[in-house]
Amino acid sequence: MPPGPIPGPRPLGADAWQPLPLADGAAALVLSVFGPRNAAEIRRVLAPGGTLIVATPGPGHLAELRQPLGLIGIDERKPARLADAFGGYGRPEVSAVHYELHLGHAELTDLVAMGPSARHIGAADLAALVAALPAPVTVTVDVEVRSYQG
């Protein structure tokens, strides 16, 4: 069978600050969830008429955990930075996702471990901080989803 495009969706994990291993205009959809975004590379690989979806934490995301666990905050300039980076796509559609979770200590530890605060809190320190919290803990999920058309 000759090489060619693989039909259907395919996930890709790559270093956002290096050239993405895709041909120019090869992606009908680019999805970035809570990660760094290389606007120039996204523009290069996104097909004309393609869609870029960016999910970022909203101002209330994990607010109940920030002080007691020492989590890093949400950059209040993020919407402006996204507008600067992706202004060439026009005004995005923005949707808010907001709900609460009730998490035990193990789930809280996993939640922090998968986010950027994990680089700032040692495992032993995190375990001690989590152990001092009641269980379960109510945690707010606050996500802003932006959809841009290429």
Side-chain angles (χ1 to χ4, degrees):
M1 183 173 275
I6 300 171
R10 296 291 182 259
L12 170 68
D15 181 342
W17 303 119
Q18 299 299 316
L20 295 172
L22 293 170
D24 295 358
L29 172 68
V30 174
L31 174 64
S32 174
V33 179
F34 284 43
R37 293 155 296 280
N38 184 332
E41 270 301 282
I42 290 171
R43 171 67 71 190
R44 182 185 68 78
V45 302
L46 191 63
T51 301
L52 166 62
I53 297 175
V54 178
T56 59
H61 190 64
L62 308 182
E64 301 86 351
L65 301 178
R66 286 190 209 142
Q67 194 277 327
L69 299 183
L71 301 185
I72 62 174
I74 307 299
D75 181 1
E76 55 192 45
R77 297 170 301 165
K78 189 175 290 282
R81 288 189 303 109
L82 287 169
D84 288 345
F86 299 111
Y89 292 94
R91 188 179 179 105
E93 290 184 34
V94 181
S95 300
V97 178
H98 191 90
Y99 58 93
E100 291 182 342
L101 297 172
H102 304 284
L103 304 175
H105 289 168
E107 293 90 0
L108 285 174
T109 301
D110 290 346
L111 180 65
V112 174
M114 70 179 187
S117 291
R119 293 188 179 101
H120 305 281
I121 303 172
D125 291 337
L126 177 59
L129 292 168
V130 168
L133 295 175
V137 173
T138 299
V139 178
T140 300
V141 174
D142 180 12
V143 179
E144 295 175 354
V145 180
R146 290 171 176 78
S147 176
Y148 302 86
Q149 295 303 306

